[in-house]
Amino acid sequence: MQRSRGRWKPRVAAVAVAMGMMAAPAMAQSGPAGITVPVVLAPFNANAAACATPPGLSRSIGLAEDNDRAFIAGVGDGLKAAARDRGLAYEAAVANNDAATQSAQVEAFRQRKFGAVIAAPVDPAALAPELQKVMWAGGYVGTVVPPPATTILNAPQYMTGRVLGEAAAAYIRDKLGGKADVVLLTQDSLQFLAPRFAAIRDALRGMAGVNIVADISPDPVNEDGGYATMKIVLEAHPKVDVVLGADTVVIGALKALREAGKARPEQFLVGIDGEPEAIAELKTPDSPYKTDVALSSPVFGYALGANAADWLEGKSVPQAMDALPIVLDRNDIGKYEADQADPAAVYNDPARRDVYLKRYGNICYDGRDKYLNFPWSSEGK
């Protein structure tokens, strides 16, 4: 479907409906709605034909961070490395968990004609219109989990949670005699992450000696939230054997356990994300932090940065990428840390890259109206 460069042809809504897309109401829409009905994406074709380069945009990447947690900082490290390698400017803005601030930051990137914006949204619904404006202007948008985006980065959430849950179940059977009081620190309020916690519950279901004494979402979902939540849990359940959740909240929970004198070497704490503090705990003798389900944010960040550079050069990029979970313990941290320190080497080696990433679909500037505007997951039915 041919388009004039830099402008959308008339009757976009009719074309979108004809292609199985859903147009938003006219009052809320000033460009294509994207693909709003879930579709199954084919594997990424690295040899797909190139198309036009976006006119009038700078070779710049802007990162819109929800907060300054280490995982997103790792994404920034990867983006910065890719920008340096591909000759792009790079700038980051931290919203400190304020949705209005983040929307203004993304709008500022657009006003300054940044060619690419990468976002970890504070409030996906609030940020969506600003990200759409970037895409309607021809820019590349990558998001960490929620739509809309040119490229959505998401973990196979159920698989990630299942890996964590099965590691916990095995430890309870083998080391704790099949009995454990478990604290599950969730993020069920985020629909995109809820499947990982459903998977954890599934892995523990049927274990007669397992008692989930708390199944709760810390507020906020960060180290402070994990710390505060665990302090409350300990008032009612002073003996906890297993704590499961994202690294940032589990690290906070561990701080509360130690402060209360309730941390024990035989406990099993495990998190998701591969945060530096979690990795440091894995190296600490007698730490209750035994395992981590790592997601390599520098490698993902580098991939998003490479996609941005390719987009601005008129090349085809993935519509979606799986962030594949890596199970770490004290015996295999070295290789993972080496990969974290040199994401370019990982990305440019297909065998190493495929350990961390799986890519789906193809999109380039000429077909930019086919951005994903639904909660994509490779596990979606």
Side-chain angles (χ1 to χ4, degrees):
M1 183 163 39
Q2 297 297 315
R3 288 183 173 78
S4 58
R5 291 183 55 176
R7 290 188 306 160
W8 298 103
K9 282 191 172 180
R11 300 178 63 194
V12 166
V15 173
V17 171
M19 295 184 66
M21 304 174 192
M22 184 185 303
M27 290 182 63
Q29 192 77 22
S30 58
I35 301 175
T36 61
V37 177
V39 296
V40 176
L41 300 175
F44 173 64
N45 177 10
N47 298 313
C51 60
T53 57
L57 299 177
S58 68
R59 289 180 57 82
S60 304
I61 301 176
L63 172 62
E65 302 182 51
D66 51 359
N67 54 51
D68 61 358
R69 58 200 164 104
F71 183 81
I72 296 302
V75 172
D77 290 342
L79 283 169
K80 194 182 306 180
R84 181 183 62 245
D85 292 348
R86 299 293 294 272
L88 277 65
Y90 169 77
E91 187 175 314
V94 183
N96 293 318
N97 297 315
D98 185 272
T101 295
Q102 188 172 54
S103 292
Q105 290 166 338
V106 170
E107 173 61 11
F109 286 141
R110 186 183 71 85
Q111 291 287 348
R112 293 165 61 197
K113 299 189 181 302
F114 272 51
V117 173
I118 310 302
V122 173
D123 181 335
L127 192 62
E130 304 305 328
L131 296 177
Q132 286 179 303
K133 290 176 188 177
V134 174
M135 291 185 283
W136 294 336
Y140 173 83
V141 168
T143 58
V144 181
V145 182
T150 314
T151 303
I152 290 178
L153 171 72
N154 194 8
Q157 297 294 346
Y158 190 89
M159 177 198 297
T160 301
R162 190 77 189 192
V163 167
L164 184 152
E166 289 177 348
Y171 187 90
I172 293 167
R173 283 193 303 267
D174 298 343
K175 304 294 185 180
L176 300 179
K179 297 179 180 181
D181 286 343
V182 177
V183 172
L184 181 54
L185 301 175
T186 76
Q187 291 166 275
D188 285 337
S189 59
L190 298 176
Q191 68 175 103
F192 313 107
L193 298 179
R196 67 169 58 168
F197 301 100
I200 294 169
R201 297 182 190 103
D202 287 348
L204 298 178
R205 188 173 288 117
M207 298 184 71
V210 170
N211 181 26
I212 298 180
V213 298
D215 187 330
I216 187 171
S217 294
D219 184 15
V221 180
N222 60 17
E223 184 174 331
D224 290 341
Y227 171 80
T229 300
M230 181 55 72
K231 287 189 70 174
I232 294 170
V233 170
L234 288 173
E235 291 178 6
H237 302 280
K239 183 179 181 294
V240 169
D241 301 303
V242 175
V243 181
L244 310 173
D247 276 334
T248 185
V249 293
V250 177
I251 287 293
L254 176 57
K255 179 181 176 182
L257 286 165
R258 285 176 170 155
E259 187 177 278
K262 302 296 185 182
R264 312 186 313 275
E266 68 272 17
Q267 286 169 318
F268 187 77
L269 274 64
V270 55
I272 298 172
D273 284 340
E275 296 266 11
E277 286 186 78
I279 300 302
E281 285 293 337
L282 292 185
K283 299 177 181 178
T284 302
D286 294 331
S287 172
Y289 223 106
K290 301 291 196 306
T291 303
D292 198 71
V293 180
L295 303 170
S296 179
S297 58
V299 173
F300 310 150
Y302 194 95
L304 288 165
N307 289 346
D310 287 344
W311 177 271
L312 294 171
E313 293 168 9
K315 298 175 184 176
S316 185
V317 302
Q319 290 171 287
M321 299 191 297
D322 259 339
L324 300 176
I326 309 296
V327 180
L328 299 177
D329 61 25
R330 289 167 186 159
N331 299 317
D332 51 16
I333 297 173
K335 179 180 181 301
Y336 173 78
E337 288 188 310
D339 288 348
Q340 293 280 94
D342 193 358
V346 176
Y347 182 81
N348 292 315
D349 181 335
R352 293 172 69 186
R353 181 182 62 220
D354 290 350
V355 172
Y356 295 100
L357 279 176
K358 191 171 182 180
R359 301 179 292 174
Y360 303 85
N362 282 82
I363 186 171
C364 64
Y365 175 76
D366 289 345
R368 61 198 183 278
D369 59 325
K370 300 180 183 67
Y371 65 89
L372 299 186
N373 198 6
F374 66 91
W376 176 86
S377 170
S378 62
E379 298 173 316
K381 299 295 187 286

